[in-house]
Amino acid sequence: MKVAAEGCNLLLFITSYLLLISGLGVHSLSYDHSATTKAITLSLPIVSSVNTQTYLCCHCFENKQCLAEPRRAQYGGGIIVNPGFDHNIEGWTAFGNGAIKEVMSNGGNRFIVAHNRTQPLDSFSQKVQLKKGMLYTFSAWLQVSEGSDTVSVMFKTKRNEMVRGGQVIAKHGCWTLLKGGIAANFSSPVEILFESKNSAEEIWADNISLQPFTKKQWRSLQDASIERVRKRRVRFQITHVNETALKGAKVITRPIKLNFPFGCGMNHYILTNEDYQSWFVSRFKFTTFTNEMKWYSTEKKQGEENYTIADAMLKFTQENGISVRGHNIFWDDPKYQPDWVRTLSPADLTKAAAKRMKSVLSRYKGELIAWDVMNENLHFHFYEDKFGENASAVAYATAYELDPEPKLFLNEFNTIEYSGDEASNPAKYIKKLKEILSFPGVSGMSAAIGLQGHFASGQPNLAYMRSGLDLLATTGLPIWLTEASVDPQPSQAEYLEEVLREAYSHPAVEGIIMFSGPAQAGFNATTLADETFKNTAAGDVVDKLIQEWGTGPNIATADSRGIVDISLHHGDYDVTVTHPLIHSPITLNLSVKKDFSLETIHVKMHA
């Protein structure tokens, strides 16, 4: 093992504590969001129960698309034996029919090679013990012997199941970081190995790591990240005009507008159900119409466009100060085309698609914050099959030409939800995004990453979710969860909270829309309120997070120096300062942004 220089530029930091679980010892730890972009690290020494300092850094991005030498193994390799191959290939065995060996580069770097491969899973492996309830983050530096190929990390269970834990497009000639993870819903040994579908290639690996986290540790990192990424400390000093400190003064901050969009899907029931209207308006300022803007809703019969419902819903949102994401211009799934579209000739489909784009984009120009342009175009290819491989790119270029203001999203499912879906994994998502952004006519387009976030039954794999967000963050583009939901199950509310916190705590995520709502509006998967509009357990979670993430008033009392320190979420606030002995309160406006610096706000009160 020889590692590249590890310089970092300071962008942001998160500090917290991490103690390893009993029996694993204490190492120098960091939850490191490194993937392939610029980053930062600021570490705070924390003294553990065994009087050993532990160093934490979160959201640490480094500038490394593909490196001549790999970085160090994260967490010192965690529970991996011989992660950097300083002891030849001790701890590693050949898996499948191939062979393994240690190789040293011209620069003196030692790494492992799987060669003479004949099957995709022929590689090197190591057995580790997983503990139920733990989250495990995985990382490894990879190359292939020629060209490029997708390489995945696989976890082979006792029952011989293969669980995909992450993937990356590895190249020859430089090292690329694979990140992933697994949520252990069992206590059992597993075997870690690698997969490359091109068995003619050798797989090279170095600095492999598997690091366990308890749920308590994971949550502490989320909380610390939220405190740093979403909030800023604000200090008030309350005095008389003669500079005498006013102990006991109250500072009340009420949010006018919060900067982080947290919203909920909306459907046509909003037009006729006053209880639904009240429920929605009291909670959310951002939405996506679940079906009403889709082509199959606005033009059920060819040539008969009808925007009545979508127009009425948009009017309702505008009257209530609710911002709307457009969903969607096209859907690449053949199943969700208007019936008449499926039978059109290529020439007639070209005309119909052009008319659709011009109609919907011109109608809502200037009224939407975003559009999902070509929905689910990693899983499906209806328009590519009809128009050629650039069909999606042409759609984005055309949408940008017709309305250049909204963010234009590539909206997909299973990119962060399910590691087993190879069609839309983060590496393939980025590849598709690059194809679109390299197409003529999109220069200057405000592109964005849309991750639907439909989590199926079972424990969400937060380690994989986070690694996917890390990788997608390397694009520098804004990331939204666009349709977040969790399937019905006994732990639905718990898992929904975990998913929402994971998204909110990640610095690259800039918005969350849930596809959920009340039973009276037909939301029967992630139902937030029952038929009487009483909260479900999931609804309680959402209301708790709305309150916690800054929507309620904050009341703080000045100390003997007249000082009040408050941590506020990014946004605009009305501030009222009162004191029991002073009749006239002081009011002011405050804007708290990412670049807000901690300066004391002096408030002088007249007796």
Side-chain angles (χ1 to χ4, degrees):
M1 172 187 70
K2 180 180 179 181
V3 298
E6 303 234 9
C8 286
N9 295 320
L10 184 62
L11 295 178
L12 56 92
F13 68 89
I14 302 299
T15 61
S16 182
Y17 66 88
L18 275 183
L19 301 178
L20 284 181
I21 60 172
S22 174
L24 295 179
V26 178
H27 298 275
S28 178
L29 293 179
S30 62
Y31 184 79
D32 182 354
H33 288 252
S34 299
T36 52
T37 192
K38 221 180 225 188
I40 141 78
T41 296
L42 185 145
S43 298
L44 180 70
I46 306 294
V47 179
S48 77
S49 59
V50 292
N51 205 29
T52 302
Q53 286 187 332
T54 300
Y55 286 82
L56 262 293
C57 79
C58 286
H59 308 306
C60 306
F61 303 108
E62 298 170 355
N63 190 14
K64 48 182 183 297
Q65 284 291 337
C66 198
L67 302 182
E69 300 288 356
R71 299 288 192 199
R72 295 184 185 276
Q74 294 184 342
Y75 316 107
I79 60 175
I80 294 293
V81 174
N82 191 23
F85 305 99
D86 296 319
H87 305 288
N88 204 290
I89 56 174
E90 178 184 327
W92 296 91
T93 58
F95 185 91
N97 299 321
I100 61 173
K101 62 183 177 181
E102 184 188 53
V103 172
M104 182 182 293
S105 70
N106 292 334
N109 181 47
R110 298 175 182 274
F111 55 93
I112 194 169
V113 171
H115 60 105
N116 294 336
R117 301 174 58 244
T118 59
Q119 300 295 325
L121 291 172
D122 290 349
S123 61
F124 28 81
S125 69
Q126 184 172 130
K127 290 184 179 179
V128 297
Q129 177 71 33
L130 299 189
K131 183 178 179 181
K132 186 176 182 179
M134 302 287 286
L135 294 164
Y136 293 81
T137 62
F138 179 86
S139 62
W141 289 90
L142 295 168
Q143 277 201 61
V144 290
S145 56
E146 57 183 47
S148 65
D149 193 33
T150 299
V151 179
S152 302
V153 60
M154 310 294 290
F155 295 89
K156 183 185 177 185
T157 71
K158 239 180 6 177
R159 298 177 179 177
N160 290 323
E161 295 175 296
M162 289 290 182
V163 179
R164 195 175 304 276
Q167 53 282 309
V168 75
I169 298 176
K171 303 174 183 178
H172 177 63
C174 58
W175 295 92
T176 305
L177 182 65
L178 184 157
K179 292 193 74 177
I182 187 169
N185 55 12
F186 51 81
S187 292
S188 171
V190 298
E191 193 168 4
I192 301 173
L193 58 141
F194 296 84
E195 178 192 65
S196 168
K197 299 288 177 67
N198 184 355
S199 57
E201 291 179 341
E202 296 176 352
I203 302 174
W204 304 357
D206 198 2
N207 298 333
I208 301 169
S209 173
L210 186 71
Q211 176 61 45
F213 293 85
T214 66
K215 280 197 172 184
K216 182 177 179 181
Q217 291 168 341
W218 199 267
R219 172 65 182 273
S220 72
L221 286 171
Q222 290 175 335
D223 290 345
S225 179
I226 289 169
E227 189 66 31
R228 178 62 188 174
V229 174
R230 305 295 177 203
K231 303 173 76 175
R232 286 294 181 268
R233 300 289 297 178
V234 181
R235 169 169 287 185
F236 296 87
Q237 184 167 36
I238 321 300
T239 65
H240 284 289
V241 290
N242 64 5
E243 306 293 336
T244 304
L246 279 173
K247 180 182 178 180
K250 302 286 187 185
V251 176
I252 306 165
T253 55
R254 292 183 175 88
I256 305 168
K257 180 183 178 182
L258 293 174
N259 290 357
F260 187 90
F262 180 48
C264 191
M266 177 189 292
N267 64 28
H268 64 91
Y269 288 99
I270 202 79
L271 300 176
T272 56
N273 189 321
E274 291 184 2
D275 290 335
Y276 183 19
Q277 293 173 5
S278 299
W279 179 88
F280 198 102
V281 170
S282 66
R283 288 168 171 80
F284 303 111
K285 290 296 181 182
F286 293 85
T287 193
T288 300
F289 301 166
T290 56
N291 284 298
E292 289 75 11
M293 283 187 177
K294 292 172 181 172
W295 197 3
Y296 62 61
S297 295
T298 62
E299 194 176 0
K300 294 179 181 179
K301 293 184 179 181
Q302 186 173 10
E304 297 181 12
E305 291 184 331
N306 186 344
Y307 289 95
T308 304
I309 294 176
D311 287 351
M313 291 175 67
L314 188 61
K315 181 174 183 290
F316 171 81
T317 60
Q318 291 171 340
E319 289 172 348
N320 289 282
I322 299 168
S323 299
V324 180
R325 295 183 69 259
H327 178 71
N328 49 55
I329 299 174
F330 294 119
W331 198 341
D332 230 350
D333 188 343
K335 185 168 58 176
Y336 293 111
Q337 307 305 316
D339 290 339
W340 58 271
V341 164
R342 298 192 194 99
T343 60
L344 293 178
S345 68
D348 288 340
L349 180 58
T350 299
K351 293 176 185 177
K355 181 186 174 187
R356 159 66 178 172
M357 292 203 78
K358 185 175 181 180
S359 172
V360 74
L361 283 159
S362 61
R363 188 178 196 88
Y364 297 123
K365 186 174 183 178
E367 300 191 82
L368 306 177
I369 61 171
W371 270 112
D372 295 327
V373 179
M374 184 68 80
N375 203 42
E376 299 175 358
N377 58 348
L378 286 167
H379 282 95
F380 308 108
H381 314 97
F382 177 81
Y383 292 95
E384 284 76 6
D385 292 341
K386 300 290 185 180
F387 299 146
E389 62 182 14
N390 290 324
S392 288
V394 170
Y396 281 85
T398 305
Y400 178 53
E401 180 183 2
L402 291 170
D403 188 359
E405 293 304 317
K407 286 183 170 62
L408 301 181
F409 280 77
L410 196 165
N411 193 45
E412 259 299 348
F413 64 91
N414 278 351
T415 303
I416 56 171
E417 302 98 305
Y418 177 51
S419 61
D421 191 337
E422 297 182 68
S424 60
N425 66 52
K428 289 187 178 177
Y429 189 109
I430 291 173
K431 182 181 178 183
K432 185 69 172 181
L433 198 58
K434 287 180 178 178
E435 291 171 3
I436 292 169
L437 294 178
S438 65
F439 192 76
V442 300
S443 178
M445 182 180 80
S446 183
I449 292 171
L451 308 172
Q452 293 182 11
H454 293 298
F455 286 81
S457 182
Q459 168 70 51
N461 186 350
L462 298 183
Y464 180 77
M465 178 181 175
R466 186 176 291 185
S467 71
L469 291 172
D470 291 346
L471 184 57
L472 294 163
T474 66
T475 65
L477 298 176
I479 299 172
W480 283 51
L481 265 64
T482 55
E483 305 178 16
S485 67
V486 174
D487 281 356
Q489 56 196 293
S491 300
Q492 182 186 47
E494 174 190 349
Y495 294 161
L496 178 64
E497 181 172 357
E498 289 180 357
V499 167
L500 295 177
R501 285 190 184 278
E502 187 61 40
Y504 188 69
S505 67
H506 198 286
V509 175
E510 296 189 8
I512 301 171
I513 302 290
M514 300 174 292
F515 266 26
S516 57
Q520 279 197 25
F523 289 96
N524 54 16
T526 307
T527 306
L528 302 183
D530 65 17
E531 290 288 349
T532 66
F533 279 90
K534 180 182 177 182
N535 266 11
T536 63
D540 284 340
V541 162
V542 170
D543 281 356
K544 178 180 71 172
L545 294 179
I546 288 172
Q547 182 70 21
E548 183 181 322
W549 294 346
T551 59
N554 186 307
I555 303 173
T557 304
D559 63 16
S560 59
R561 302 167 297 159
I563 296 291
V564 171
D565 286 320
I566 309 175
S567 180
L568 295 175
H569 290 260
H570 301 156
D572 298 329
Y573 293 83
D574 281 336
V575 181
T576 302
V577 183
T578 65
H579 190 275
L581 301 179
I582 297 176
H583 296 297
S584 300
I586 300 292
T587 60
L588 60 146
N589 301 117
L590 178 65
S591 183
V592 179
K593 299 181 179 178
K594 289 182 180 180
D595 56 357
F596 185 90
S597 58
L598 179 58
E599 296 178 1
T600 301
I601 299 170
H602 295 276
V603 179
K604 297 182 185 295
M605 304 191 76
H606 295 269

